[in-house]
């Protein structure tokens, strides 16, 4: 069998806001059914890449293809293939969790929106909270609802723009489990993050976006080869503190 | 395709209506303020105003309704601004839906919620002595003018909601609109005003709309004035819509 076409293909992508050049020629390819992490510090241009891929922004130059469609020439086809979970959980705070899900299901014209909503509430542990307004949710619940909303209509590609920013360690682990589950069921995930550990835990391939270009890209093993040993040890100390925290607060995933 | 647009718009309308019904404070503000004006003019200033009518409640009703709509639409700008800020606007725009539904949901919600406050104000007006001999056709004409007026101001509100960089910016534009009926024939006959003020009052949109509504409520001939009123509404609507779409296209790729 031939290798399937890439789920995401980005080449020579450029974007400036006025004089500020945010993307200076970005290239990467994401294989279908894999998790790809776009790593970078704040302002590196990660969100700009995601906004272009999800047809919210037009690039100045270069091409962005999703599921075989061009984001500029065929935006409708791209939108049929994707879901976007934004950096700031874009859920309706005034509606209940269930109403948010039903709304998205009806917009995507999925049959039986009520059942789709109930199934997702159960899957994301939100059944009890389903009838409550989202304004009363914790950050972790909101993010889970946000991701649940993205799954409606079974999009082939999901963009998760900093899905765990601002979450506590327990909520972060819950979100990680869901992301892993998505990839296991064949969905392609493009994840942006500023947490090294997150990319390390989840991603099949990692690309580091820095000052508008991808400076390194590859599997974790390939990237490890680039790092001096002393640095690698520093990175490994971070999760240790997290493990202590989780042990102290008695997190069930760790016990 | 058009069934798709209608379905999407219906969902957006349902969402936005829930926002209205779940924030009772906005409904109350939008109806209480005009009712307070109605009480003020009827029972405080009314006795001293020589409007040449024996039922001053009838006289001021059209102006009160326009004030209600002018303040009501500021919440449309506010809700649209919140959507832009919260990121849900981007979620909708990245979905395979008719993008126009996102804006029209807000516009239709504005029409529905303003219609509700107009009905409430007319009911309160009836308690205060508002009487009309208007027939079904007159009421339809009144409803038509008020809906057209709501639509034209709503699209102004959409510009503010799309372009604003703060909540204040998204709502402040409605203050001059609320003030406009005071410099018109809404509460006093323009004949008593000094020449310059009178010239402004007689040639601004509110006067022609108020006069048309008053004639319809009283079953008087509306004359050519109603065309001036409709012309103003349609003109504002077209210009505001064009500007709103320009701002929209600048904001959305």
């Amino acid at each position: 069998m031939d290798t399937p076409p890439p789920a995401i293909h980005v080449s020579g992508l450029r974007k400036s806001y006025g004089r500020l050049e945010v993307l200076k020629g970005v290239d990467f390819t994401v294989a279908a059914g894999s998790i790809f992490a776009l790593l970078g510090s704040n302002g590196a241009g990660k969100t700009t890449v995601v906004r272009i891929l999800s047809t919210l922004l037009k690039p100045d130059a270069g091409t962005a293809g999703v599921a075989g469609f061009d984001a500029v020439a065929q935006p409708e086809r791209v939108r049929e293939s994707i879901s976007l979970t934004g950096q700031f959980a874009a859920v309706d705070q005034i509606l209940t969790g269930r109403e948010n899900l039903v709304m998205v299901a009806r917009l995507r014209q999925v049959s039986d929106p009520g059942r789709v909503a109930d199934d997702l509430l159960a899957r994301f542990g939100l059944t009890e909270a389903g009838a409550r307004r989202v304004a009363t949710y914790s950050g972790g619940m909101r993010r889970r609802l946000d991701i649940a909303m993205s799954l409606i209509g079974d999009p082939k590609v999901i963009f998760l723009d900093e899905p765990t920013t601002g979450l506590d360690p327990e909520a972060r682990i819950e979100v990680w489990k869901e992301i892993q589950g998505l990839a296991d069921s064949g969905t392609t995930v493009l994840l942006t993050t500023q947490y090294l550990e997150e990319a390390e835990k989840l991603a099949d391939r990692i690309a580091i976006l820095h000052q508008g270009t991808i400076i390194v890209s590859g599997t974790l093993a390939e990237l490890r080869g680039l790092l001096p040993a002393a640095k690698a040890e520093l990175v490994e100390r971070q999760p240790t503190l997290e493990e202590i925290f989780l042990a102290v607060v008695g997190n069930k995933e760790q016990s | 395709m058009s069934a798709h647009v209608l379905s999407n718009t219906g969902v957006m309308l349902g969402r936005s209506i829930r926002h209205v019904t779940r924030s009772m404070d906005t409904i109350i503000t939008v109806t209480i303020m005009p009712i307070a004006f109605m009480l003020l003019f009827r029972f405080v200033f009314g006795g001293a105003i020589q409007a040449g009518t024996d039922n001053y409640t009838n006289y001021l009703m059209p102006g009160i309704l326009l004030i209600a709509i002018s303040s009501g639409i500021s919440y449309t700008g506010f809700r649209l601004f919140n959507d832009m800020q919260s990121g849900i606007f981007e979620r909708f725009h990245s979905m395979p839906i008719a993008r126009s539904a996102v804006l029209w949901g807000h516009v239709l919600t504005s029409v529905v919620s303003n219609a509700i406050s107009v009905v409430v104000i007319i009911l309160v007006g009836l308690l205060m002595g508002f009487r009309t001999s208007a027939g079904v056709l007159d009421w339809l004409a009144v409803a038509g003018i008020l809906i057209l007026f709501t639509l034209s101001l709503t699209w102004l509100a959409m510009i503010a909601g799309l372009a604003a960089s703060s909540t204040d910016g998204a709502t402040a534009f409605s203050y001059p609109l609320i003030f406009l009926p005071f410099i018109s024939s809404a509460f006093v006959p323009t004949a008593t005003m000094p020449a310059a003020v009178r010239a402004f009052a007689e040639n601004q949109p509110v006067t022609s709309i108020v006069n048309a509504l008053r004639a319809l409520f009283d079953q008087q001939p509306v004359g050519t004035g109603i065309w001036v009123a409709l012309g103003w509404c349609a003109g504002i609507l077209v210009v505001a819509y064009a500007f709103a779409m320009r701002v929209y296209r600048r904001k959305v790729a």
Side-chain angles (χ1 to χ4, degrees):
Chain A
M1 216 177 92
D2 295 332
T3 43
I8 302 171
H9 182 74
V10 170
S11 138
L13 211 57
R14 290 178 170 276
K15 181 72 193 177
S16 304
Y17 295 107
R19 283 202 182 156
L20 181 67
E21 208 177 358
V22 180
L23 302 180
K24 304 170 184 168
V26 171
D27 308 88
F28 64 88
T29 299
V30 181
S34 69
I35 301 180
F36 185 88
L38 201 53
L39 203 61
S41 44
N42 286 331
K46 305 187 296 290
T47 298
T48 304
V49 172
V50 171
R51 284 170 55 85
I52 290 171
L53 284 168
S54 49
T55 76
L56 296 172
L57 194 67
K58 286 194 172 69
D60 296 337
T63 58
V66 181
F69 303 111
D70 186 84
V72 176
Q74 304 157 286
E76 286 89 5
R77 303 303 301 271
V78 169
R79 281 177 221 140
E80 284 167 10
S81 315
I82 63 160
S83 253
L84 169 66
T85 294
Q87 188 170 346
F88 302 101
V91 292
D92 191 315
Q93 310 242 24
I94 294 167
L95 301 185
T96 68
R98 189 173 187 278
E99 284 169 343
N100 267 286
L101 292 165
V102 169
M103 173 179 72
V104 171
R106 288 180 59 200
L107 286 173
R108 284 191 175 261
Q109 317 216 306
V110 175
S111 60
D112 204 352
R115 226 195 63 198
V116 170
D118 290 330
D119 289 350
L120 282 167
L121 286 172
R123 177 170 159 193
F124 284 83
L126 292 168
T127 302
E128 277 173 42
R132 260 170 39 209
R133 286 195 203 181
V134 172
T136 66
Y137 284 22
S138 69
M141 290 163 77
R142 223 170 275 194
R143 201 59 60 93
R144 273 183 285 152
L145 177 66
D146 191 11
I147 294 174
M149 284 163 77
S150 298
L151 302 189
I152 296 170
D154 295 319
K156 292 193 196 80
V157 179
I158 292 189
F159 302 119
L160 297 166
D161 192 11
E162 304 207 359
T164 61
T165 297
L167 294 190
D168 62 42
E170 292 172 68
R172 187 178 301 168
I173 288 169
E174 283 179 41
V175 169
W176 284 350
K177 271 187 356 203
E178 281 307 329
I179 296 172
Q180 193 58 60
L182 284 180
D184 293 345
S185 63
T187 309
T188 308
V189 178
L190 174 70
L191 170 79
T192 77
T193 183
Q194 43 181 321
Y195 303 122
L196 210 56
E197 191 204 352
E198 186 161 294
E200 193 175 323
K201 278 245 164 70
L202 293 171
D204 298 307
R205 292 185 74 83
I206 299 164
I208 298 177
L209 184 62
H210 186 67
Q211 294 182 344
T213 52
I214 304 263
I215 49 170
V216 249
S217 128
T219 63
L220 179 60
E222 286 166 359
L223 296 194
R224 274 217 174 104
L226 300 171
L227 294 174
K231 274 217 161 163
E233 189 159 1
L234 239 155
V235 170
E236 289 205 275
R237 284 190 179 275
Q238 277 301 73
T240 315
L241 178 60
E242 190 165 302
E243 275 163 17
I244 293 167
F245 173 84
L246 291 168
V248 169
V249 300
N251 184 286
K252 54 183 183 298
E253 347 278 326
Q254 299 296 307
S255 57
Chain B
M1 180 62 199
S2 66
H4 182 61
V5 175
L6 286 181
S7 156
N8 290 164
T9 308
V11 176
M12 289 298 178
L13 173 63
R15 162 181 183 260
S16 187
I17 288 283
R18 281 205 173 101
H19 282 221
V20 176
T21 56
R22 284 179 194 178
S23 48
M24 289 311 287
D25 52 328
T26 64
I27 300 178
I28 291 168
T29 331
V30 163
T31 48
I32 289 289
M33 198 259 289
I35 289 171
F37 275 131
M38 191 155 64
L39 291 167
L40 187 68
F41 274 91
R42 170 70 179 79
F43 296 112
V44 180
F45 303 143
I49 293 173
Q50 299 299 316
T53 168
D54 48 2
N55 186 335
Y56 187 62
T57 312
N58 281 4
Y59 190 86
L60 59 83
M61 183 55 88
I64 294 293
L65 295 179
L66 298 192
I67 286 181
I69 293 170
S70 305
S71 70
I73 50 109
S74 68
Y75 284 102
T76 304
F78 174 70
R79 283 190 290 268
L80 178 59
F81 175 76
N82 277 349
D83 275 8
M84 304 265 305
Q85 292 294 303
S86 72
I88 201 146
F89 204 74
E90 299 211 322
R91 162 165 252 141
F92 291 144
H93 278 80
S94 69
M95 285 172 61
I97 61 170
R99 285 186 163 188
S100 60
V102 179
L103 293 184
W104 277 103
H106 282 290
V107 172
L108 295 178
T109 301
S110 172
V111 172
V112 172
S113 64
N114 278 300
I116 292 169
S117 54
V118 161
V119 169
V120 170
I121 289 163
I122 289 176
L123 290 176
V124 173
L126 287 172
L127 292 176
M128 286 169 50
F130 172 67
R131 293 294 175 265
T132 170
S133 51
V136 175
L137 283 179
D138 303 312
W139 275 109
L140 283 178
V142 168
I145 292 173
L146 289 178
I147 289 172
L148 191 61
F149 182 72
T150 308
L151 279 174
S152 58
L153 293 198
T154 297
W155 278 103
L156 276 181
M158 300 297 270
I159 301 174
L162 286 165
S165 51
S166 72
T167 311
D168 291 336
T171 55
F173 76 97
S174 73
Y175 301 147
L177 296 178
I178 296 169
F179 198 64
L180 221 44
F182 293 102
I183 318 168
S184 80
S185 65
F187 300 106
V188 293
T190 52
T192 60
M193 299 174 187
V197 180
R198 183 177 174 179
F200 174 79
E202 287 180 352
N203 292 294
Q204 60 118 323
V206 170
T207 293
S208 62
I209 299 166
V210 160
N211 291 348
L213 292 174
R214 205 175 270 153
L216 288 165
F217 279 138
D218 275 349
Q219 285 207 301
Q220 299 292 316
V222 289
T224 54
I226 194 169
W227 298 112
V228 178
L230 291 173
W232 271 114
C233 290
I236 294 168
L237 175 58
V238 168
V239 172
Y241 179 81
F243 261 96
M245 289 323 268
R246 250 184 75 180
V247 178
Y248 176 76
R249 275 191 287 270
R250 217 180 56 217
K251 290 265 171 174
V252 179

